[in-house]
Amino acid sequence: MSTASPVPTAASAAKNRETLLRILIPILVVVALVVLWQVLVTATGVPQYILPGPGAVAQSLVKDWGTLAPALWVTTQITMAALGLALIGGVGIAIFLIQSKWIETAFYPIAVILQVTPIVAIAPLILIYAPTTQVALLICAFLVAFFPILSNMVQGLKSVDHNLLNLFDLYGASRWQTLIYLKLPASLPYFMTGLRIGGGLSLIAAVVAEFAAGSAGAGSGLAFRLLEAQYRLNIPRLFAALVLLSALGVVIFGITSFIAWLGLHRWHESSVRREN
Amino acid sequence: MTDLQSLDIPPGSSHKRPLVVMRNVSKSFSSGTLALSDMSLTVEGGEFVSLLGPSGCGKSTALRIIAGLGDTTTGTIDWPASRINVRGLPEGDISFVFQEPTLMPWQTVFGNVYLPLRLRGVSRAHAADAIMTALDTVGLKDFAKAYPRELSGGMKMRVSIARALVTKPKLLLMDEPFAALDEITRQKLNDDVLKLWRDTGITVIFVTHSVFESAYLANRIVVMKARPGRVHADFPLQTSLERGPLYRASEDYRAACEKVSAALLDAMGGEAMEMH
């Protein structure tokens, strides 16, 4: 292990340049595509109600911010709350399921049934039973995000090195100690995979559920604003709502990736890069 | 075969009581395989016993049973010189070193060595001295903050040994600990274990399939026979030399290798033997 202080060398300079390029290249590609979009729209003179240029979308984003911002906030809240509940539920139920083979045999199929049933198909039922539309959306998004976290956690909790389990037995570890010091940390990589998948899915589910719910009015999210813009043929606003949804998705992806990096970067390479 | 029962000193004798007594132990697995049949073995405090035998002779199973990892089918394990806990094991008197280092990749070297004490509820601050002493014993004091992935195979094994030593056990059980290491590292670690044995007076039961390793390390050889596993030969290896590089080059060592090799060949019923 080298403990030398970081000295700027040719190698580290090359590494910095590579990092810079890694960030710059994707940005340049996106900028180029936006410019191309604007050029095409201007050159072909396609009407705005069919395809607005990026300029018109940006304009709409500013002009309709008063309508779009609250909707963005509603969608963000539903997505985050669903993800949070899915994390708590997924991890909690995974811990419950691994307690005995019989518990898993009895309850795992129910989780699978919930997962394989298309969420749009259950949405009308949930809408009937839930006290408010927001709660219904939350339940839908939760159901979708919950399963990948559950299945990854079950897999992770069960994939603990048998020798380490033996070691814990040897030192007389309690069930609780084995869970806290061994099973949970060992399943962290699986949890992170579940988190990243669940984060993306909870946003998708929040949007799809809102389409299904057909909610309207002041408390509605971006999906409703999207539909509303379509009915009114306000295509620039539709694009603006779409841009906001993409941005939200990118932010969620960024946050979940960062959390995964925080939790794993110091040790998890071990399972990726093997010696021998 | 030596009469093992004669080593079993009756209680009240002025002689030191044996550390562990295995009486007529049999072990069959759920698959129906009889891994051990009527095995008896008495180990005195301070001995360095090598359990040697062809693969499938049950030497690892015997070691695991002594450690309390898995029950005996018939027969008993007694600890005449130790205080035993509810599970019939001498609390804190035994430690186990597996063939793999079996480290937790998410913990630093310090955290890994801390594990046995942590499971006993010792605080990190109170354990620090014992941990650093154990790490010093294996020459890894400067690597306390490193993660396992930053260490070589030999260093990981040393961490595993430090973890086994941190509870100051009376008996160290080693299950082919150096089998996966290169020859030079293996010899170095053999010398380290010998030094540890001399300095601390710890009792070692060392499972290996290597004639050379057992002849170099042990002052008592127990050769096992396969299908079903049982003790075939049990004899002391005496030398006036201190075990070390000088011994490795001596006539005593050559004679010991020959003796062990002959006993192993006999146990295998004259089958062609693979020398390691």
Side-chain angles (χ1 to χ4, degrees):
Chain A
M1 197 183 71
S2 123
T3 46
S5 60
V7 179
T9 60
S12 82
K15 207 180 154 216
N16 282 341
R17 202 165 52 234
E18 201 193 305
T19 314
L20 198 67
L21 284 177
R22 264 173 199 282
I23 299 166
L24 271 182
I25 289 174
I27 292 176
L28 284 177
V29 169
V30 170
V31 168
L33 284 175
V34 169
V35 169
L36 183 69
W37 176 10
Q38 182 66 63
V39 168
L40 281 178
V41 166
T42 316
T44 57
V46 60
Q48 217 178 57
Y49 56 84
I50 294 179
L51 181 64
V57 173
Q59 244 173 27
S60 165
L61 202 56
V62 174
K63 193 177 74 206
D64 297 335
W65 185 249
T67 335
L68 291 175
L72 173 66
W73 178 231
V74 167
T75 303
T76 308
Q77 275 178 313
I78 291 173
T79 305
M80 291 304 183
L83 182 58
L85 288 176
L87 289 179
I88 296 167
V91 173
I93 294 177
I95 290 171
F96 170 70
L97 285 181
I98 58 146
Q99 292 311 308
S100 101
K101 202 179 75 186
W102 293 112
I103 294 178
E104 198 190 343
T105 312
F107 291 98
Y108 200 67
I110 297 176
V112 175
I113 291 170
L114 274 179
Q115 164 65 14
V116 297
T117 311
I119 199 66
V120 188
I122 335 175
L125 260 186
I126 295 173
L127 279 164
I128 293 172
Y129 298 139
T132 67
T133 313
Q134 303 309 320
V135 173
L137 299 185
L138 187 61
I139 294 172
C140 289
F142 162 79
L143 284 177
V144 172
F146 158 80
F147 191 79
I149 296 166
L150 173 71
S151 59
N152 273 291
M153 267 317 274
V154 168
Q155 184 71 22
L157 289 167
K158 283 162 60 177
S159 311
V160 178
D161 180 354
H162 286 190
N163 274 334
L164 275 171
L165 284 171
N166 277 338
L167 190 79
F168 272 67
D169 272 358
L170 195 80
Y171 288 119
S174 67
R175 245 179 140 83
W176 178 247
Q177 284 177 319
T178 308
L179 179 69
I180 297 293
Y181 297 135
L182 178 59
K183 289 185 176 175
L184 284 179
S187 55
L188 206 58
Y190 294 83
F191 171 79
M192 294 305 181
T193 308
L195 174 68
R196 262 179 298 194
I197 299 172
L201 282 180
S202 60
L203 176 61
I204 294 173
V207 170
V208 170
E210 203 179 5
F211 282 162
S215 65
S220 48
L222 275 175
F224 167 70
R225 294 296 167 204
L226 223 133
L227 283 182
E228 185 195 43
Q230 184 209 359
Y231 296 146
R232 296 183 181 177
L233 277 182
N234 189 346
I235 306 302
R237 192 200 275 186
L238 195 156
F239 268 91
L242 208 53
V243 166
L244 287 179
L245 277 176
S246 299
L248 181 55
V250 169
V251 168
I252 291 171
F253 178 82
I255 292 173
T256 51
S257 299
F258 180 68
I259 292 172
W261 178 83
L262 268 187
L264 301 179
H265 73 106
R266 277 188 299 186
W267 61 273
H268 191 242
E269 266 166 301
S270 55
S271 62
V272 180
R273 219 188 294 150
R274 287 203 176 184
E275 357 180 15
N276 310 334
Chain B
M1 190 174 137
T2 333
D3 182 13
L4 292 162
Q5 301 305 321
S6 65
L7 291 171
D8 196 1
I9 311 297
S13 154
S14 58
H15 194 282
K16 221 172 88 186
R17 284 183 290 178
L19 190 59
V20 56
V21 183
M22 243 178 135
R23 272 197 200 90
N24 311 102
V25 169
S26 295
K27 169 78 178 177
S28 44
F29 291 114
S30 49
S31 59
T33 316
L34 186 59
L36 289 179
S37 167
D38 202 27
M39 177 172 172
S40 295
L41 182 69
T42 301
V43 176
E44 304 283 338
E47 279 190 303
F48 197 126
V49 181
S50 177
L51 268 184
L52 181 74
S55 49
C57 71
K59 51 194 192 296
S60 287
T61 307
L63 201 70
R64 277 159 190 268
I65 283 180
I66 292 173
L69 294 170
D71 299 322
T72 60
T73 307
T74 59
T76 56
I77 309 277
D78 288 319
W79 302 89
S82 306
R83 232 182 34 195
I84 58 167
N85 66 7
V86 284
R87 298 195 304 155
L89 291 169
E91 193 87 56
D93 277 1
I94 43 176
S95 272
F96 204 103
V97 177
F98 296 90
Q99 183 172 349
E100 284 87 36
T102 315
L103 303 177
M104 297 176 287
W106 57 88
Q107 288 280 8
T108 58
V109 165
F110 186 96
N112 270 288
V113 178
Y114 175 36
L115 178 74
L117 297 176
R118 176 181 233 178
L119 292 175
R120 286 185 188 177
V122 182
S123 76
R124 196 171 273 264
H126 276 97
D129 280 349
I131 295 166
M132 291 318 285
T133 307
L135 282 175
D136 198 24
T137 311
V138 298
L140 286 179
K141 210 170 181 171
D142 296 336
F143 291 88
K145 287 188 178 133
Y147 282 85
R149 69 175 173 89
E150 297 167 311
L151 307 179
S152 69
M155 288 161 95
K156 283 184 202 161
M157 213 60 231
R158 285 168 198 271
V159 176
S160 189
I161 294 171
R163 179 179 61 197
L165 295 177
V166 77
T167 54
K168 300 197 170 61
K170 285 186 193 163
L171 177 61
L172 184 59
L173 303 166
M174 306 183 93
D175 188 5
E176 301 194 34
F178 311 138
L181 300 178
D182 64 88
E183 196 56 35
I184 302 294
T185 311
R186 184 186 227 192
Q187 283 185 12
K188 178 81 183 67
L189 283 172
N190 278 342
D191 287 334
D192 288 352
V193 169
L194 277 172
K195 182 174 185 309
L196 183 79
W197 175 64
R198 272 195 302 266
D199 290 353
T200 61
I202 197 171
T203 311
V204 183
I205 304 181
F206 192 103
V207 165
T208 179
H209 57 249
S210 162
V211 167
F212 303 126
E213 198 172 37
S214 59
Y216 185 63
L217 292 173
N219 65 4
R220 178 176 165 199
I221 304 279
V222 175
V223 179
M224 292 182 67
K225 204 173 162 78
R227 283 174 288 276
R230 59 206 184 274
V231 174
H232 177 73
D234 183 347
F235 53 88
L237 274 188
Q238 270 139 1
T239 173
S240 51
L241 297 165
E242 189 181 85
R243 285 158 205 267
L246 215 64
Y247 174 64
R248 205 186 280 283
S250 73
E251 183 60 28
D252 275 12
Y253 176 59
R254 202 193 58 77
C257 284
E258 243 164 45
K259 191 173 175 188
V260 174
S261 182
L264 184 58
L265 201 62
D266 191 39
M268 293 169 84
E271 287 172 52
M273 185 176 53
E274 221 183 304
M275 296 272 266
H276 289 271

